[in-house]
Amino acid sequence: MSDIRRILILTGAGISAESGIDTFRSAGGLWEKHRVEDVATPEGFARDPDLVLRFYDMRRERIQEVEPNPAHSALARLDALWRGEGRELLIVTQNVDDLHERAGARRLIHMHGEHLAAWCTACDRRHAWRDTLIERPPCPACGVPALRPDVVWFGEMPYRMGDIYQAVGTCDLFVSIGTSGAVYPAAGLVRDARAAGAATLELNLEPSQGTRWFDDARHGPASELVPEWVEELLSESRLG
Ligand code: OAD
């Protein structure tokens, strides 16, 4: 792996599971307790905005109670050290929590948005947001009470796909961590990376739906697998 220069890391709910945030598709996961159509689609929001705002208010509160785990910290360490001699790194997360940045990661894209942001559907501005939205607070910019969670719902376009495809198409190594491979376009990125000649690695509790697309797969908890892999990579590259 020492000829690796450009790394793209895709993360999903599994990397935050050991911090105490429910994943979506595991037994007892979020999509067993709530219908996707009710809480994660524009149609569900139009039908019952109170239900949707309450759901995201609870999730926003929850993520502020938890802490990053060793997997987030290991990626932040890699982000800090993986520099010079043409080295590039990008973490693309499907997660809407802020645990990557709280661990210290900087080169990061939230492709599915962020819990700690609100989007004004009247003036199209986005604001850092920690409080609840159920009371319909006014937008800090335009004053209209039209804020919604800045989270990408099913049927909506994930953020910054141009930047993501560009990085996927030029990476030497694509690593997928803690994601079931059930949701597109994220689930398809491994195939784009392979087609562009990248090596591919899966780190997940169990084989994902797309596990066959990876050259190498290691299965176990992210809090163990990710620090091990990061230390291995740093020492092979004489950066550790
Ligand atoms: P899922 O809940 O679909 O998958 C989580 C994956 O993490 C599963 O494959 C688990 O086996 C694995 N996992 C669980 N605990 C783990 C641990 N401790 N260490 C390593 N892996 C672990 O979550 P995502 O793949 O992130 O989208 O889901 C993708 C998208 O579907 C989400 O971003 C969300 C959801 O609907 C939107 O809301 C738009």
Side-chain angles (χ1 to χ4, degrees):
M1 279 206 191
S2 52
D3 53 344
I4 297 294
R5 286 287 179 276
R6 285 162 300 191
I7 304 176
L8 190 298
I9 300 169
L10 174 70
T11 68
I15 198 169
S16 296
E18 290 164 85
S19 291
I21 302 182
D22 290 341
T23 62
F24 296 93
R25 293 175 182 76
S26 52
L30 273 180
W31 294 157
E32 265 186 13
K33 297 179 197 145
H34 309 271
R35 279 163 32 103
V36 172
E37 305 78 25
D38 290 340
V39 298
T41 62
E43 294 79 11
F45 185 51
R47 222 169 22 239
D48 192 346
D50 279 8
L51 174 86
V52 175
L53 292 175
R54 257 191 226 104
F55 174 77
Y56 288 95
D57 283 352
M58 271 166 21
R59 304 269 296 147
R60 194 178 310 104
E61 194 182 342
R62 177 71 191 139
I63 68 154
Q64 296 181 68
E65 295 164 355
V66 303
E67 299 294 334
N69 68 55
H72 299 104
S73 302
L75 291 190
R77 173 168 151 76
L78 183 63
D79 181 20
L81 295 178
W82 196 258
R83 294 179 187 275
E85 298 174 24
R87 292 188 189 90
E88 288 173 23
L89 176 140
L90 179 63
I91 301 169
V92 174
T93 188
Q94 298 166 85
N95 298 344
V96 290
D97 64 53
D98 64 339
L99 296 180
H100 281 306
E101 47 270 61
R102 273 205 267 148
R106 293 291 169 263
R107 291 177 281 180
L108 174 71
I109 291 179
H110 278 280
M111 68 181 291
H112 289 166
E114 298 174 59
H115 271 321
L116 297 182
W119 170 27
C120 178
T121 55
C123 73
D124 200 27
R125 291 206 184 84
R126 289 173 164 82
H127 307 280
W129 204 267
R130 293 190 165 268
D131 301 328
T132 52
L133 290 172
I134 188 74
E135 305 87 359
R136 313 297 200 277
C139 166
C142 73
V144 177
L147 295 169
R148 60 161 266 188
D150 191 13
V151 166
V152 175
W153 288 327
F154 287 91
E156 297 180 329
M157 185 63 89
Y159 294 150
R160 296 184 58 187
M161 288 310 298
D163 294 333
I164 293 171
Y165 282 128
Q166 206 272 334
V168 166
T170 54
C171 69
D172 306 312
L173 175 64
F174 178 94
V175 187
S176 172
I177 303 174
T179 176
S180 60
V183 175
Y184 287 79
L189 295 178
V190 60
R191 273 171 275 175
D192 295 327
R194 272 176 84 94
T200 54
L201 169 67
E202 167 169 284
L203 305 176
N204 204 47
L205 194 59
E206 60 200 355
S208 72
Q209 291 184 25
T211 197
R212 67 185 178 285
W213 300 108
F214 292 88
D215 303 319
D216 188 11
R218 304 178 191 179
H219 298 129
S223 66
E224 291 172 18
L225 292 185
V226 180
E228 274 165 26
W229 168 68
V230 165
E231 289 317 311
E232 196 180 297
L233 184 64
L234 289 175
S235 93
E236 277 171 12
S237 309
R238 297 193 171 78
L239 290 170

